[in-house]
Amino acid sequence: MPFLRRWAQIKGVRLTELGTEQGNRQLFTLADLPADQQAWLETHLADGEKLIAARFHPEVLPLVVVPDRDSELKRRLEADASDKQISQSALRLARQFTAKIDAEYDERLYINLDNPAIQTLLRAMTEAPAQAARAARLLKAFKVLMASRSPHGEKAPNQALADLAASVALIVEH
Amino acid sequence: MNIWDWVEKLQNDLADAGQAHSAELIDRLTAEIVDMKPEQADALLPEAKALCKTLENPWLEVFVGHWEMRNRLGNKAEGEKALADAVALFEFAHRKETIDCPQSICVTQDLAACYANIDGPGWVNERIEVCDETLARINPTWNCFQCLSNEKAEALLDAARPAEALTYLQGQQESIEAAGEEVGDSIFEIRNRILIVLGRHAEALDHITAQEAAVEGMEWRNISQPRTLLKAQALAGLGRDEEVWETLPPLPDLTLCDHISWWQAAYPVLLRQGERNTWHLASQLQRALAHYADSGSYRTVIELAEFGIRLAILRGSAWSARRYLVQARACLPKLRRDLGASALLDKLSGEIDALPNQNDLPVPAENLLEHLAGENNSRDPEKEVQWLLLAVRQRPEDAALLDQAATALEACGAYDDAIALLWEYVETHTSQEENLAYNLLGVLMNKGDEAGVLRLAKLYENSVPLTAHWCLARLASSRDDWPAAERHCADLLAISPASRGARRLHAHSLMQQKRFAEAAESYYTMYENTEQDKSVLWDYMVAANAAGDWSKVREAAKVLEMELDSDEGPIEEDWGTVIVRYFEDGEPVDYYAQQTGPVSARIVENARGNWRQHVADWIVLDANPVFPVPEDEEELKNFTRTFTHVHTLAQGGFGQGWLADGAYPGNESFEQMRGQLHSRGWKVWIHSGTDYEVHDSSASLDLPGIYFTVAAPETVPPLEIHKALSETTAAWEHPLCWLRLAEHCELDPAPHFEVIERYRL
C-alpha cells in the first residue's frame, strides 16, 4: 500500500483505497428509486435477495449479489453452539444487537444505476414493458451465472442457462 | 500465552520471510492508536486487514480487529456506529479457530465498552456482569486484567457508586502487585477520575503532579492527554481557574473522544468567568456534540448538551440553547434507561422558555443588514442569527439576507441548518446562475456531504451547466480525482473562459497529474485573463520550471523584475538557504536546501533513518511560503523561509542516511573525517545543535556532543560506510556509535551498546 501510494503520487494518478470510508464512498453509493421501479426490479431480477439500488464502479457491471453479513451474524450468534464457547453475559449483550436484525434476506442484490443496461431497462419499464421483461430475464440469468462463479456460489441452475438461450433466440429473431 | 509474545513472534517470522514491512505495519498501527492519531490509524487499517487475509491468520485478524475497535471506541468515541462491527468481531473472536487467541478477551471488553459509549449508565448491570464473568476466567498476570478492572470501575462510576469503584480498584491494584505485575497508567487514570467525582480534588491533583514528575522520556498521548485533562478538572474543582486555562490544551488539538473531558474541566470555570463564555467556544461545543451524536454516543450528547444549554442561557442565546435541546432530545429514545434524562431536558426547556422574548427585530427586516454592518462592536453571529432568521422568514427572496444568515449559522457550527436554509432557496431558483448555489456548495464541501454536492450538480445540469460543472469539479478535487476535475473545469471554461476559479483548479489538476507544460499554458491563459495579475505569474513559473522549460522561467522572472546571472539554459545560482517541506504519508518533513533559482532548490540535508532520502535532489518549490515572513526584526534574523516541494527535477541518487552519535572530537578531527567522506562523494550532515552534550559516565564528565548522518550513493554497500566511519574515527578519544548501521550490516552491536551506555545516548 505505501508503495502504491508513492507510485500514484509520483505518477500523478488517482488511487482509490477500498476499505477506507472515503474510498468506499467513491466507488459505492446507495441511491433512491421510486417505489414502482423498485417493485418492478424486485419482481424481475430478485430471487429472494434484498434488492438495493446503488451506484458503483465499474459502471459496466449491472448488478452484483453479496451475502447479507448481518443475517449471517444473527444466525451464528443465535445458534445454540455459541452458548458453549462464549461468555454468557457477553453473549446476551451481543444478542441484544442481533435481536434487532431483520434476517429475512440471506443475500443482497445491488443494482447499479450507473450501468447503461439498467438505465435502459428502467426507461423501457414504462415505455415498452414486454421488451423490458424479456431483457430483465437475460440480466437475471447473468446474475445467477455470475453468482455461481463466486467462491460461495452454487452450480448455475439450469433455469439460468435456459433463460440465457431463450434470450439469445429472441435477439436473433428480432 | 501473552498476546504481545505472540505478536512479536509473528513479526519476527514475517521479517525472516522478507516481509519486514508487514512486521513494521503492525507496530505502526498500534503506535498511531495509542498516540491518538485516529486518521493515521484509519489509513493503515485497510493494509493491515489485507495482511490478515493474505496470511490467512485468524489470530492476527482478531488482533487487528481489536485495535480497530480501540481506535473507534477509544479515540473516536464511537457508540452505536461501531456496534455492528463490535458484535461481528466478538462473534469472529469466539470461533473454533480464534477462541484460544488471548485477544478474544479484549474483544469481549470492546463489546462492553461499545455499550458504555452508547449509554454507560443505562448498560451498567450488563457491563459489570461481563467484567465479572471474564475476570473470573483470567488472573492478574494477564494484560486484560487491568483493562477489565478499569472497565468495571468505570461501570461502577456510571452507576453513581464512586466510593465502591475506588475500593474495588484499590483491591484490583493490590492483586496486580501481589502477582508481581506492574500497575499500568490506565488504572491510575481511572483512580484519579474517581477521586475527582468524589470531590477529592486535592488528592487527585497530588497524584497527577507526582505522575507528571515521574515521567521519563517519551510518553504515549493516550496516557498524557487524559491525565492533563483530569488535572484541569482537579484544578477547576479547587477553584484555581487561571491554572485551568493554562493546563487545558486548545480544543482543536484534542482527539474528539476527549472533548467531553475538556468541557467537564472548563464548564464550572465558564460559569464563574462569563467573559470566556463566547459564541466562538459554543461553536466548538456544537462540533463535538455533532460528532458524539453521529457516533451514537447518546448519553455523552445529553451530558454535553446540558453544559451547552446552561452556558447558552448565560449568554442569553435562546436560539443556541434550543438547538442543543433538540439534539439532546433526539437521543432520548436511544438510551437504554432514561435515568432522569427526560426530566433534566424538560427542566432545561423550561429555563430556556423563561428567557426574555427574542422574537422582535431591532429594525425592519429590510434594514437589518445595514443595521448589523453599522454596529460598532465586534460581530456576534450567535446574537445576529436569530434576527437574520426572523428577517429571512419575512423576506424569503432576499438573497443578501439569506447569505448573511447562512454565514452566521455556519459560524455557529450549525451546518445542517445553513444547508437546509440554502436548499430552500436554491431548489426554487434554478433558471439562472445563483451565488447562493455556490454558498451551498461551500457548506456541503465543508461538511463532506458528497451526495448533497451531486444533488446540487443535478439540479443545475440542464439550466446552468456552469454551476453543475463547478460542483463536480470541486467534488472531484476533494477526492483527488484530478482527471475528472480537469475535465469538468475544461467544460466550464468552454462556457465561461474567464472563470478564474475554474482556470486555477484546471491548472492545479494538470499539475497534480504532472502535466506541467499544459499547466503552464493554463496559468498563462489565466494571467492574460486576469489583467496580468503577477501572483498568477509565480504559479506559471512553478509549472514551467517543473516542465523543465527554462526559457519560460526566465521570461517570467524578467516580468517579475528578477535579475539572473545568465541569459539562457537552466538556472543554477546561489540564492541562499531555504527549508523545503515534503509530505510523506501525510506528515510534513522539512529539509534544508540551497535555493538555486526563483522556484528551484537543491536539498543539502540528509534524511535520517527510514525517511526517504532527498539529499542532492534538484527540485521545484511552490512559490508561496509556508510561513509568513515575521515582522519582528529579531525574529527575522533567525528566520529561514519554508516552501513546499512540488516536483523533483533530478534525483541526487543517495541511499539511506545513517546516524552516528557521541562526543564531539573537536573541529580538526571532525573536519578531517568529514573531508575524507566528502572526497568519496558522500554527504555528511550535522543534526545536533550547539548545546548538545553527552555524559561520559566512566569519567563523570559532561562533554560537547554531536550527532550527524552519513549518506552515500545508492550503489555503495552499507558495510563500506561502516568501514569508512570506523577508519576515519579510529583515532578519536571517545568512540561514536552507529547502532542501526551495524545492525543492518549484521555486525556485532555490542561496541555500539557500550558507547550508548557509557555516554548515556
Side-chain angles (χ1 to χ4, degrees), chain B residues 726-743:
Chain B
S726 305
E727 286 162 18
T728 53
T729 64
W732 292 9
E733 183 189 347
H734 300 281
L736 296 185
C737 102
W738 48 87
L739 177 66
R740 297 279 168 254
L741 176 60
E743 283 179 340

Side-chain angles (χ1 to χ4, degrees), chain B residues 658-663 708 718-719 721-727 729 734-761:
Chain B
W658 297 104
L659 192 71
D661 191 358
F708 59 93
L719 188 63
I721 303 175
H722 162 79
K723 284 180 184 163
L725 271 172
S726 305
E727 286 162 18
T729 64
H734 300 281
L736 296 185
C737 102
W738 48 87
L739 177 66
R740 297 279 168 254
L741 176 60
E743 283 179 340
H744 184 83
C745 299
E746 296 185 349
L747 298 166
D748 179 12
H752 300 278
F753 280 120
E754 278 166 23
V755 174
I756 290 172
E757 201 162 314
R758 176 174 161 190
Y759 296 94
R760 297 183 182 168
L761 302 177

Side-chain angles (χ1 to χ4, degrees), chain A residues 114-171:
Chain A
D114 283 341
N115 174 263
I118 297 292
Q119 289 168 348
T120 310
L121 201 62
L122 288 172
R123 275 196 303 274
M125 180 186 307
T126 43
E127 292 163 12
Q131 283 99 316
R134 282 199 292 274
R137 195 171 161 195
L138 179 60
L139 267 181
K140 191 172 176 180
F142 166 77
K143 176 196 79 175
V144 175
L145 292 170
M146 213 171 59
S148 72
R149 291 186 56 196
S150 79
H152 310 291
E154 304 285 323
K155 257 174 78 177
N158 289 340
Q159 186 60 46
L161 296 169
D163 284 345
L164 185 67
S167 300
V168 171
L170 270 173
I171 291 165

Side-chain angles (χ1 to χ4, degrees), chain B residues 426-629:
Chain B
V426 166
E427 269 191 317
T428 52
H429 294 77
T430 54
S431 59
Q432 57 180 20
E433 193 177 7
E434 292 283 349
N435 278 335
L436 287 180
Y438 298 118
N439 292 14
L440 175 57
L441 173 64
V443 197
L444 291 169
M445 292 295 298
N446 277 344
K447 193 170 175 266
D449 183 352
E450 297 190 357
V453 176
L454 288 171
R455 185 178 149 206
L456 186 62
K458 192 91 185 153
L459 193 67
Y460 285 99
E461 194 176 19
N462 298 317
S463 56
V464 192
L466 186 138
T467 303
H469 285 308
W470 184 237
C471 292
L472 296 173
R474 288 282 309 275
L475 181 62
S477 79
S478 77
R479 291 172 165 182
D480 293 342
D481 186 354
W482 302 111
E486 177 207 341
R487 200 171 58 242
H488 289 297
C489 286
D491 289 345
L492 193 159
L493 289 166
I495 307 167
S496 167
S499 170
R500 193 177 165 137
R503 183 70 66 187
R504 184 171 286 284
L505 183 53
H506 182 253
H508 181 71
S509 306
L510 291 165
M511 288 294 288
Q512 292 295 321
Q513 295 174 77
K514 313 277 179 196
R515 288 158 57 192
F516 301 120
E518 292 167 79
E521 268 177 47
S522 195
Y523 277 126
Y524 200 76
T525 314
M526 185 172 163
Y527 172 64
E528 288 180 324
N529 282 342
T530 53
E531 296 167 357
Q532 308 200 330
D533 176 351
K534 288 193 175 160
S535 69
V536 179
L537 207 56
W538 278 98
D539 293 320
Y540 164 72
M541 192 154 57
V542 171
N545 204 154
D549 192 336
W550 293 101
S551 60
K552 284 195 172 127
V553 178
R554 287 177 181 280
E555 279 166 31
K558 196 171 175 185
V559 179
L560 291 166
E561 296 174 0
M562 292 175 181
E563 283 185 21
L564 299 172
D565 292 346
S566 55
D567 297 326
E568 58 180 19
I571 304 165
E572 189 151 23
E573 303 173 3
D574 184 356
W575 286 40
T577 302
V578 291
I579 294 170
V580 173
R581 172 162 291 191
Y582 287 81
F583 282 90
E584 293 182 5
D585 294 331
E587 298 275 342
V589 195
D590 294 344
Y591 294 104
Y592 280 103
Q594 183 203 25
Q595 193 171 354
T596 53
V599 286
S600 57
R602 198 178 289 282
I603 306 295
V604 293
E605 180 180 353
N606 290 342
R608 282 188 254 182
N610 289 328
W611 290 105
R612 210 165 295 151
Q613 187 58 274
H614 298 291
V615 70
D617 283 4
W618 197 19
I619 62 131
V620 178
L621 311 160
D622 190 87
N624 294 311
V626 177
F627 307 107
V629 176

Side-chain angles (χ1 to χ4, degrees), chain B residues 1-288:
Chain B
M1 179 192 265
N2 182 317
I3 187 72
W4 293 108
D5 293 343
W6 178 79
V7 169
E8 196 182 335
K9 185 176 177 309
L10 176 72
Q11 286 178 306
N12 290 339
D13 291 348
L14 282 168
D16 290 345
Q19 291 198 43
H21 171 75
S22 298
E24 188 200 330
L25 171 69
I26 297 170
D27 278 341
R28 280 179 62 203
L29 176 68
T30 52
E32 298 291 12
I33 292 168
V34 294
D35 213 22
M36 302 184 90
K37 292 179 179 161
E39 288 84 15
Q40 282 87 334
D42 278 345
L44 295 173
L45 271 165
E47 195 184 354
K49 289 179 182 177
L51 180 67
C52 302
K53 297 286 179 202
T54 313
L55 299 177
E56 292 183 353
N57 189 325
W59 278 35
L60 183 62
E61 206 167 332
V62 174
F63 178 86
V64 169
H66 164 65
W67 281 92
E68 180 184 10
M69 280 299 141
R70 283 294 89 224
N71 196 39
R72 294 179 63 181
L73 305 172
N75 290 341
K76 299 203 231 172
E78 286 186 21
E80 192 166 32
K81 192 175 178 184
L83 184 58
D85 292 331
V87 173
L89 178 64
F90 171 77
E91 185 277 320
F92 179 75
H94 289 85
R95 291 187 191 173
K96 199 169 59 195
E97 65 271 29
T98 51
I99 187 79
D100 294 327
C101 172
Q103 201 104 61
S104 60
I105 301 274
C106 311
V107 169
T108 305
Q109 192 210 335
D110 288 335
L111 184 63
C114 188
Y115 278 100
N117 281 0
I118 295 171
D119 176 12
W123 290 97
V124 155
N125 296 337
E126 292 84 350
R127 288 162 59 205
I128 291 176
E129 269 178 34
V130 169
C131 293
D132 284 343
E133 191 181 343
T134 316
L135 278 165
R137 295 177 175 201
I138 57 176
N139 62 50
T141 61
W142 287 57
N143 293 335
C144 347
F145 187 87
Q146 304 203 19
C147 302
L148 280 161
S149 301
N150 281 333
E151 187 71 39
K152 179 168 172 182
E154 287 191 287
L156 289 168
L157 257 190
D158 280 343
R161 289 148 60 184
E164 196 182 328
L166 189 62
T167 311
Y168 169 77
L169 203 60
Q170 278 164 347
Q172 297 299 94
Q173 188 177 333
E174 283 160 18
S175 306
I176 296 163
E177 284 163 347
E181 296 290 321
E182 195 181 335
V183 178
D185 289 308
S186 59
I187 293 256
F188 298 134
E189 179 191 327
I190 305 298
R191 185 228 19 229
N192 295 338
R193 192 182 303 168
I194 299 170
L195 288 173
I196 288 169
V197 172
L198 285 166
R200 290 157 64 176
H201 298 105
E203 208 177 321
L205 188 61
D206 285 347
H207 281 303
I208 292 169
T209 313
Q211 282 169 260
E212 283 178 335
V215 173
E216 275 183 13
M218 177 264 185
E219 201 178 23
W220 293 113
R221 200 169 165 208
N222 72 339
I223 301 296
S224 61
Q225 183 171 291
R227 190 180 58 221
T228 302
L229 293 167
L230 286 175
K231 183 180 183 182
Q233 288 181 25
L235 288 164
L238 293 167
R240 290 158 63 173
D241 292 355
E242 287 315 309
E243 288 170 80
V244 174
W245 297 120
E246 284 161 18
T247 306
L248 280 177
L251 264 175
D253 292 356
L254 281 188
T255 321
L256 274 159
C257 64
D258 274 340
H259 275 229
I260 184 69
S261 193
W262 191 97
W263 283 100
Q264 283 163 344
Y267 174 70
V269 187
L270 290 167
L271 292 180
R272 295 189 285 262
Q273 297 185 336
E275 71 282 3
R276 285 188 184 265
N277 178 12
T278 61
W279 68 267
H280 185 68
L281 206 50
S283 75
Q284 299 195 63
L285 184 138
Q286 172 54 40
R287 180 172 163 249

